[in-house]
């Protein structure tokens, strides 16, 4: 089963708050993780985000699920700026995992 989350509905056009990002992961991603084949994160309408949000939301998903995040997570409708923050969060989380 696939689940899609529309981030604009949850965080608005600017995802700025790291605490909110981690709470979003806890409330919206973790309950779906085991039952989902794919979790689609739709960034349509999100024009920007902070490193804090990206690391708390996306980075913590990666760190919590290092074995299967690549198979489950999909990012769609990302602006070039949002893509750069997602890429940075993925790299940061993977570097933290490598050091652990």
């Amino acid at each position: 089963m696939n689940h899609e989350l529309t981030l604009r509905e949850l965080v608005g056009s600017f995802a700025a708050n790291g605490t909110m990002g981690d709470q979003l992961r806890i409330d919206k991603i973790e309950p779906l993780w085991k039952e989902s084949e794919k979790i689609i994160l739709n960034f349509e309408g999100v024009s920007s985000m902070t490193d804090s949000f990206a690391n708390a939301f996306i980075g913590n998903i990666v760190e919590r699920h290092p074995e299967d995040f690549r198979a489950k997570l999909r990012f769609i409708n990302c602006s070039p700026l949002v893509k750069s923050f997602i890429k940075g969060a993925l790299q940061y989380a993977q570097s933290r995992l490598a050091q652990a």
Side-chain angles (χ1 to χ4, degrees):
M1 175 179 265
N2 293 340
H3 289 92
E4 182 172 329
L5 296 175
T6 303
L7 276 292
R8 179 164 171 85
E9 293 174 4
L10 300 170
V11 301
S13 64
F14 180 56
N17 186 317
T19 302
M20 182 196 325
D22 199 43
Q23 195 62 49
L24 187 62
R25 175 192 62 82
I26 292 165
D27 293 344
K28 300 292 185 182
I29 302 295
E30 296 302 336
L32 299 174
W33 195 263
K34 286 187 179 178
E35 70 183 53
S36 299
E37 279 185 47
K38 301 268 187 256
I39 296 176
I40 301 159
L41 302 178
N42 185 343
F43 283 89
E44 184 173 7
V46 178
S47 57
S48 189
M49 66 178 61
T50 63
D51 286 328
S52 175
F53 178 87
N55 290 328
F57 181 53
I58 297 163
N60 285 344
I61 294 171
V62 172
E63 289 186 46
R64 186 140 161 88
H65 304 283
E67 66 289 339
D68 59 350
F69 78 90
R70 280 188 177 93
K72 285 200 179 197
L73 278 185
R74 291 293 175 265
F75 305 96
I76 64 171
N77 299 317
C78 302
S79 71
L81 184 58
V82 167
K83 278 183 189 177
S84 71
F85 280 103
I86 292 170
K87 184 177 179 181
L90 292 169
Q91 290 172 339
Y92 181 67
Q94 290 175 313
S95 72
R96 286 177 44 123
L97 286 169
Q99 294 171 1

